[in-house]
Amino acid sequence: MKLQRKNRLRALSLGAAAVSGALALTACGSDDTGGKTSGGASSTANASSVKCDGAKGQLLSDGSSAQKNAIDAWVKTFSQACGVQINYKAGGSGAGVTSFTQGQIPWAGSDSALKPDEVTASQKVCKGGQGIDLPMVGGPIAVGYNVEGVDNLVLDAPTLAKIFDGKITNWNDPEIKKLNPKAKLPDLKIQAFHRSDDSGTTDNFTKYLIATTPDNWKYSGGKTWQAKGGQSAAQSSGVAQQVKQTNGAIGYFELSYVGDGVKAVSIDTGAAAPVAPTTDSATKAIADAKITGTGKDLSLQLNYTTKADGAYPITLVTYEIVCDKGNKADTLPATKAFLRYIASEDGQKILSGIDYAPMPEEIITKVRSTVEGLS
């Protein structure tokens, strides 16, 4: 399996290099690449199925780094079909929402739904309308680690909370040993890494800790990391890189950043067996989500406390945030065409091949209907 994975990663890298000219438009933030790239999706992408509907010119966007590899894959196919250049900066969810509410970009990516004050701010940009959340990309937030000699590691919510809050500081701590009786845990300091930038990944990771172990995680949560101590790095790529190069490190990021020296923790949820982060286990968790948005907004409430067998609890959904009404005339055709494509059956098919979870059918059907009504 390891050899197959290495071969696949090598093939993906070559595929990405071959289309580097087409993807030069995503240069801003292009350091935030994980183990899977758009090259891996080329065999399933079908440019002839894209409906351009007058799309032209260039689109600038910003936001979630969690979905960057998905955006790269989608941009490759969409740009080939429609000739539209898309520059997705992947500066983080916070940066994307801010740019959107300031009218600098026609749509943003965020791993957290808009807050009430952000919706209010968007009304100044969306003339006669407001910003809405369209769930488009799913996936597990992997807890990645690098501990020499430890190939399988199980943690639960309390141990995770204590590790990232500096309460458990060594890998041979009794609480970790109890969960991993067969592992040879070293007498080694834990190096915990978190995001330095405002991040929806941070928001969802801490929502999991708040929901499952409030006695051990007493912070209010949000996109900004609140716990004291630990070390920080910018964007998912930065956290993953620090974990990769540091023996004893642990951090959180999307599944596509696992591999090449970084292993993923399996989570003891109370189910029959610990659950590893996979696209299938994430989809099982997302299917249990409830739509809580009103009107055309499709924001979701995830069930972080699930104990269902095979459901991975630390899961995020990335939203594409766009005006329901009042979009700028010069960017609406391209924005609408791109969102239509990524919500389409072909667009969603790409995701599972690059370590993302497609949206459940009930949810994505509503997304498609909402995209058609954008004006």
Side-chain angles (χ1 to χ4, degrees):
M1 292 296 291
K2 290 183 178 179
L3 180 59
Q4 291 176 348
R5 182 176 177 84
K6 288 181 178 179
N7 289 338
R8 186 157 74 103
L9 292 175
R10 188 177 298 113
L12 296 180
S13 298
L14 291 172
V19 297
S20 60
L23 293 183
L25 46 92
T26 59
C28 295
S30 61
D31 61 322
D32 201 23
T33 54
K36 308 292 187 299
T37 68
S38 56
S42 59
S43 61
T44 58
N46 184 2
S48 64
S49 68
V50 179
K51 298 179 180 178
C52 300
D53 285 352
K56 59 183 179 179
Q58 298 181 342
L59 283 180
L60 174 65
S61 185
D62 196 0
S64 164
S65 62
Q67 70 168 356
K68 184 184 184 302
N69 295 328
I71 292 288
D72 282 355
W74 284 327
V75 163
K76 176 188 172 185
T77 300
F78 183 77
S79 295
Q80 287 176 344
C82 301
V84 176
Q85 289 190 331
I86 299 178
N87 182 348
Y88 184 75
K89 294 174 64 176
S93 298
V97 171
T98 297
S99 294
F100 174 74
T101 56
Q102 291 179 350
Q104 298 171 359
I105 54 176
W107 108 89
S110 177
D111 307 321
S112 299
L114 291 169
K115 296 178 180 178
D117 62 320
E118 293 169 338
V119 172
T120 299
S122 73
Q123 293 171 350
K124 298 178 182 178
V125 176
C126 307
K127 303 302 182 183
Q130 66 181 43
I132 56 173
D133 303 284
L134 302 179
M136 204 73 76
V137 184
I141 300 173
V143 180
Y145 72 98
N146 175 8
V147 180
E148 189 174 342
V150 180
D151 294 327
N152 297 289
L153 184 68
V154 175
L155 297 174
D156 58 12
T159 54
L160 278 173
K162 292 174 185 178
I163 285 171
F164 281 93
D165 199 24
K167 302 293 173 43
I168 292 179
T169 59
N170 228 55
W171 280 111
N172 63 354
D173 186 277
E175 291 191 43
I176 301 179
K177 282 185 175 181
K178 185 177 180 180
L179 291 165
N180 300 272
K182 296 181 180 180
K184 295 182 179 179
L185 296 166
D187 182 8
L188 177 67
K189 181 182 178 182
I190 296 175
Q191 308 272 2
F193 287 89
H194 58 264
R195 290 280 290 269
S196 60
D197 52 320
D198 282 1
S199 163
T201 310
T202 293
D203 190 15
N204 283 275
F205 179 64
T206 55
K207 279 179 179 176
Y208 163 74
L209 297 177
I210 292 167
T212 54
T213 184
D215 290 344
N216 294 300
W217 194 262
K218 299 182 181 297
Y219 304 97
S220 61
K223 295 177 183 177
T224 302
W225 184 259
Q226 296 173 325
K228 306 299 181 184
Q231 302 176 64
S232 65
Q235 302 180 345
S236 294
S237 61
V239 175
Q241 182 62 30
Q242 290 298 323
V243 172
K244 176 183 176 181
Q245 65 188 24
T246 307
N247 185 30
I250 188 170
Y252 58 90
F253 32 75
E254 292 67 50
L255 182 61
S256 57
Y257 295 95
V258 172
D260 193 20
V262 178
K263 304 177 184 70
V265 172
S266 292
I267 304 298
D268 183 348
T269 64
V275 186
T278 67
T279 56
D280 287 342
S281 62
T283 298
K284 285 185 179 181
I286 295 170
D288 196 28
K290 297 179 180 179
I291 295 177
T292 56
T294 58
K296 295 182 178 179
D297 185 85
L298 298 176
S299 56
L300 304 175
Q301 180 179 336
L302 298 172
N303 181 12
Y304 296 102
T305 62
T306 181
K307 291 181 172 60
D309 288 344
Y312 184 79
I314 319 176
T315 302
L316 63 74
V317 169
T318 299
Y319 300 95
E320 311 312 325
I321 294 172
V322 66
C323 296
D324 58 352
K325 299 178 182 178
N327 288 278
K328 294 180 180 178
D330 58 338
T331 56
L332 176 59
T335 299
K336 191 170 180 176
F338 183 66
L339 294 179
R340 176 189 295 119
Y341 164 63
I342 68 179
S344 71
E345 184 176 351
D346 284 348
Q348 289 288 300
K349 277 182 180 179
I350 288 176
L351 295 177
S352 58
I354 49 176
D355 283 342
Y356 292 99
M359 286 294 99
E361 190 63 26
E362 180 182 354
I363 294 173
I364 201 65
T365 298
K366 294 179 180 179
V367 171
R368 291 168 185 157
S369 177
T370 302
V371 168
E372 292 306 320
L374 299 178
S375 61

